[in-house]
Amino acid sequence: MIQNWQIPLLMTVLAGLATIIGGFITFLVNKNNLKILSLGLGFSAGVMIFVSFTEILSTAEGLLKEYYPVDYHWIMFGGFIAGVIISKLIDTFVPDHVEGSLTDGCDNSSRTHKIKRAGLLTAIAIAIHNFPEGLGTFLVSSQDLTIGISVALAIALHNIPEGIAVALPIYHATGKKRMAIWYSFWTGMTEPIGALIGLALLHWFLPQVFVGFFMAAVVGIMIYISFDTLLPLSHEYGDWHYAIAGVMSGIIVIWASLLFLNGY
């Protein structure tokens, strides 16, 4: 059973709520001037890549090595592949976002309807994509709170533009701020739902030894998200210079913070 699960769950909820920040930014910032989000997305990718390969995999190794002293390397590798496959399946059946071509060649009323539909489909897609992120944040935080804070921060930062992606079309189609915020809120709330399901599985159905395998799977999910979603979106909001600057900043900041928190 996972001990002290309340704080990891709270961290997952807070990371999910960051989509609301994106919803409010929709009303304050010009969509065409979001270079700070480009840096933020690159920063998130840098944090997730660094933490995945340097901290989470070592935690998975520690959990598995005691039970499988010979085969733990292959179990970690299998967990990583499983995480990549899960992410790819989600991408295959649920696209990340709806392309702008949905609104091309339409009159005003039809365009408004299609923009609203695009927002709804984007909300559904992001909600499904957030589910494994919530599970991963919870699992990592339950094993090492320091690393979990880093992961939760990275997830929260990249949830901000997701909130914008949901709220922007809804707001432009309906003119209702409350509705736009409501949709951005619910897309983020699938993350704590994922955490609760993960807690239930590990508590009632799976022994603790499988946590190591799932931690390796979390690495696969986070690396896939970083390269398939965060970096392309960072380029979309800015350019590759902003993206790379964000990645390097994320690595440097999280490395320094881990050294400081661990007392080195």
Side-chain angles (χ1 to χ4, degrees), residues 20-217:
I20 296 181
I21 298 175
F24 280 109
I25 288 176
T26 299
F27 315 130
L28 302 174
V29 179
N30 188 329
K31 182 179 183 292
N32 297 318
N33 187 25
L34 295 177
K35 303 227 186 287
I36 188 65
L37 288 178
S38 175
L39 287 170
L41 286 163
F43 185 92
S44 296
V47 169
M48 291 173 70
I49 292 168
F50 180 84
V51 169
S52 292
F53 284 131
T54 63
E55 301 291 335
I56 300 177
L57 274 184
S58 63
T59 301
E61 178 180 340
L63 291 168
L64 290 168
K65 199 171 184 179
E66 178 181 354
Y67 297 94
Y68 304 99
V70 178
D71 300 325
Y72 71 91
H73 290 294
W74 285 106
I75 297 173
M76 290 170 59
F77 179 73
F80 178 85
I81 296 300
V84 172
I85 291 174
I86 290 170
S87 299
K88 178 58 180 174
L89 287 174
I90 292 175
D91 264 351
T92 299
F93 294 104
V94 185
D96 277 330
H97 59 284
V98 180
E99 300 294 342
S101 60
L102 279 174
T103 64
D104 294 342
C106 305
D107 58 30
N108 288 337
S109 61
S110 178
R111 184 185 299 271
T112 298
H113 172 74
K114 288 183 178 292
I115 290 174
K116 184 178 180 180
R117 178 176 178 273
L120 295 175
L121 291 176
T122 300
I124 293 171
I126 290 176
I128 295 174
H129 280 265
N130 281 348
F131 181 85
E133 293 177 10
L135 176 59
T137 303
F138 177 80
L139 286 177
V140 173
S141 301
S142 67
Q143 299 303 311
D144 190 315
L145 194 58
T146 299
I147 302 173
I149 291 172
S150 303
V151 172
L153 176 61
I155 294 293
L157 284 173
H158 99 257
N159 276 350
I160 293 174
E162 289 185 350
I164 292 173
V166 173
L168 189 71
I170 296 295
Y171 176 58
H172 280 288
T174 66
K176 298 179 179 179
K177 294 183 179 180
R178 183 177 297 180
M179 179 180 292
I181 294 297
W182 185 249
Y183 276 101
S184 64
F185 167 77
W186 280 112
T187 56
M189 283 301 96
T190 58
E191 293 197 2
I193 291 173
L196 287 172
I197 291 177
L199 174 63
L201 287 174
L202 292 172
H203 178 49
W204 285 301
F205 299 104
L206 297 176
Q208 184 74 10
V209 67
F210 280 92
V211 175
F213 176 85
F214 285 117
M215 293 282 282

